[in-house]
């Protein structure tokens, strides 16, 4: 097997381009993981371990503090957006934004900052874009939680090169209405379950989402039907209608509290939970986190979408998103990353780790 | 090929049983059509023509009046309900109710009433239980409309052995709501099309169906959602929701009027028509129809469901449903036909045709 080789000493923009050009749709990360393993494996200051297509590289300098710097190496499916294309200001291509720009910064930092002022655990993991059971960070948190122990974690997801703290939780519940089948030519013999869903939709329309302020950040909840389905045949009154509802909840609520709230909002209806993931508190009052925010300019925004920072939160590790790229471009055919994001994120990270710039 | 043979001179109950035992799910009517063709073909008083698996058998006695007596020979799919089972009071089995009891009565009448007081056109047709384009009566109405010309038509669909006059029309429209996609974590960036369907369902719930009286019969309209669908992904605000609505309309409305009414009820929404079939006026004021109702006991009920009587109505031929069996049992696994229905329908038909009983 021919390995692609990565030069981790080249500038981060060129490295991002090389990473984008190694296709790595979820489930197909062998080549990129091989290339990263080979590149990091030759460095004396790092201990490298591999789990599936997830790589962990640690410094062990006996520093007072340890931080995790993590990024996923997979992408959503190809969409006629490879190879990478470089302009004067941006790098275009699958994964450029989500999140090979961040991975490039982390890889270059790992290779070229041999003696950081904090010990660092770098994690490059597989299968973030697919179901949670395959997520490399999740698997590692189950099999080797000790490897993720740290005072603080930085997830290099696109965040417009600004710290995004915490993340909102997400829960999906099916709210189910029931009726009684009848031939639609004699509809008075039955009860129409789709008509019964009017009340569910009316409650959604009347719902006022909370906007709580936590650690100085204003979150913004949301309650939305994402699917609706019902129907038996073109001439039959349906006996069931299912409204699948996505609740995005701020980090001051646990999953249990979120579910209790759903039961309250949809009181009188059957509810089935189909998916749930906890929020992560911004944790900006933790010294390591506060120091990081201070070091990168003092600004932090709330993170609305769910990200793997919540996995660190579950392990008791405060974590933030901080990476190049506009998160709104993630998963889009036309995704790109601004070159100045890559450069500024790298510079701030190096400075925080005490490297000469 | 071995033909099954049918004895049309045996009693109608035994003949129904023989017909049920010739499996004839829509699209698979060759065997039953062959058997009917062979049985009718040997009779001097009938002219028999075949079109696909549809048979037309006519007397040509030069009577003042001509009537069509029609029934479909196909059934819905098998459901572990063959062969036929006879009890003291009922015959059970696939198609017993819908509508081999009626076909048996028509076949026995065709064979054993050689000189009716009205000329008769018997039609035994294929594919009634599937899409309209394959329906044998529809195909015949297109290719040989002259064969269906008559003063009156009797469709031997199950009607509890009582005349059911006219039929309600049926129309299916999709009412579509539109929105704008957004990530559900930032739902204020989009417009949720499923939430927009609340108004459609509210109008359905508020709708008061008409119950017009026509020719002395009270019809009963209905407006029901039969399908609803919408959704893109579990984390995306949907940009379209589609509510499929079935309108059953009384025979005083044309299809055009029914559609205009839908546009009025769902004013402000996009509408797409997916299916439409006209109602049939009861036509009981037409002398031939009135005479028939009088002859079979003077009672007629309104028909709520759509049946092929509407095809006669389109040709200008008044038509009624009159057959053995409870229409509510049609298409059910446990369908059966009461033996006294078969006997009473046969006796009334024979009397009306002037045969000695």
């Amino acid at each position: 097997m021919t390995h692609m080789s990565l030069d981790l000493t080249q500038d981060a923009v060129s490295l991002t381009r090389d990473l984008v050009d190694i296709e790595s749709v979820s489930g197909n990360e062998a080549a990129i993981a091989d290339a990263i393993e080979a590149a990091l494996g030759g460095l004396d200051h790092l201990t490298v371990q591999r789990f599936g297509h997830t790589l962990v590289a640690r410094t062990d300098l006996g520093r007072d503090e340890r931080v995790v710097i993590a990024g996923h190496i997979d992408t959503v499916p190809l969409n006629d957006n490879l190879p990478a294309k470089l302009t004067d200001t941006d790098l275009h291509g699958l994964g450029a934004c989500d999140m090979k720009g961040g991975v490039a910064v982390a890889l270059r930092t790992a290779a070229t900052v041999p003696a950081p002022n904090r010990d660092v655990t770098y994690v490059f993991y597989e299968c973030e874009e697919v179901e949670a059971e395959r997520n490399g960070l999740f698997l590692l948190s189950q099999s080797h939680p000790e490897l993720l122990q740290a005072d603080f974690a930085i997830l290099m997801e696109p965040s417009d090169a600004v710290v995004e703290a915490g993340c909102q939780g997400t829960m999906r519940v099916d709210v189910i209405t029931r009726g009684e089948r009848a031939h639609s030519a004699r509809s008075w013999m039955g009860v129409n379950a789709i008509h019964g869903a009017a009340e569910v939709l009316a409650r959604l329309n009347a719902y006022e989402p909370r906007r709580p302020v936590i650690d100085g950040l204003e979150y913004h909840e949301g309650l939305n039907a994402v699917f609706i389905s019902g129907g038996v045949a073109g001439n039959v009154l349906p006996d069931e209608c299912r409204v699948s509802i996505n609740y995005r909840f701020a980090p001051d609520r646990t999953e249990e509290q979120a579910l209790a709230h759903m039961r309250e909002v949809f009181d009188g209806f059957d509810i089935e939970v189909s998916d749930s993931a906890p929020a992560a508190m911004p944790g900006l009052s933790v010294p390591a986190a506060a120091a990081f925010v201070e070091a990168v300019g003092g600004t932090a925004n709330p993170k609305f979408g769910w990200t793997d920072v919540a996995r660190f939160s579950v392990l008791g590790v405060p974590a933030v998103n901080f990476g190049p790229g506009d998160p709104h471009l993630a998963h889009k055919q036309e995704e790109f990353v601004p070159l100045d994001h890559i450069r500024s994120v790298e510079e701030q990270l190096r400075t925080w780790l005490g490297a000469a710039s």
Side-chain angles (χ1 to χ4, degrees), chain A residues 17 20-21 80-87 90-93 96 336:
Chain A
R17 183 182 193 159
V20 171
D21 284 341
D80 194 25
N81 48 6
L82 281 186
K85 282 185 197 125
L86 189 62
T87 71
D90 304 299
L91 180 74
H92 295 256
F336 67 86

Side-chain angles (χ1 to χ4, degrees), chain A residues 21-262:
Chain A
D21 284 341
I22 305 177
E23 186 269 292
S24 61
V25 173
S26 310
N28 194 21
E29 298 96 333
I32 198 166
D34 288 350
I36 292 172
E37 185 179 19
L40 294 177
L43 301 170
D44 288 341
H45 64 281
L46 293 174
T47 308
V48 179
Q49 291 174 275
R50 179 165 177 161
F51 307 91
H53 300 317
T54 293
L55 293 155
V56 180
R58 301 162 53 95
T59 65
D60 279 296
L61 301 162
R63 305 297 194 213
D64 291 342
E65 210 171 76
R66 175 173 289 279
V67 298
V68 171
I69 296 176
H72 66 83
I73 58 176
D74 61 320
T75 70
V76 295
L78 277 161
N79 192 4
D80 194 25
N81 48 6
L82 281 186
K85 282 185 197 125
L86 189 62
T87 71
D88 285 348
T89 54
D90 304 299
L91 180 74
H92 295 256
L94 177 62
C97 171
D98 185 13
M99 58 177 283
K100 291 185 174 177
V103 169
V105 169
L107 277 172
R108 200 174 120 76
T109 306
T112 64
V113 184
N117 56 6
R118 301 158 159 93
D119 271 314
V120 185
T121 305
Y122 295 95
V123 182
F124 303 98
Y125 62 100
E126 63 185 330
C127 285
E128 193 268 349
E129 300 290 5
V130 289
E131 57 273 28
E133 298 72 38
R134 296 168 62 193
N135 181 303
L137 191 66
F138 167 74
L139 293 174
L140 197 62
S141 75
Q142 299 292 303
S143 65
H144 298 81
E146 71 284 0
L147 286 179
L148 297 176
Q149 278 311 322
D151 297 283
F152 180 53
I154 300 167
L155 192 63
M156 303 207 63
E157 286 275 356
S159 65
D160 268 326
V162 175
V163 172
E164 289 188 336
C167 78
Q168 297 200 130
T170 177
M171 172 170 287
R172 221 164 69 213
V173 298
D174 281 4
V175 178
I176 302 153
T177 62
R178 308 204 190 271
E180 199 180 320
R181 289 191 195 187
H183 196 290
S184 61
R186 291 175 293 275
S187 51
W188 53 93
M189 310 283 285
V191 178
N192 193 316
I194 293 177
H195 295 196
E199 172 64 17
V200 176
L201 300 187
R203 291 190 198 176
L204 285 168
N205 278 318
Y207 188 80
E208 299 275 359
R210 294 191 316 139
R211 299 174 74 157
V213 175
I214 304 164
D215 281 3
L217 305 179
E218 187 185 74
Y219 287 86
H220 194 154
E221 298 197 334
L223 187 67
N224 274 277
V226 288
F227 290 106
I228 189 166
S229 64
V232 175
N235 60 356
V236 174
L237 261 68
D239 55 355
E240 185 180 293
C241 181
R242 203 166 266 263
V243 190
S244 184
I245 292 169
N246 187 205
Y247 177 37
R248 299 286 176 148
F249 52 97
D252 60 344
R253 281 198 164 151
T254 63
E255 290 174 272
E256 292 67 30
Q257 289 168 331
L259 178 55
H261 181 58
M262 288 299 92

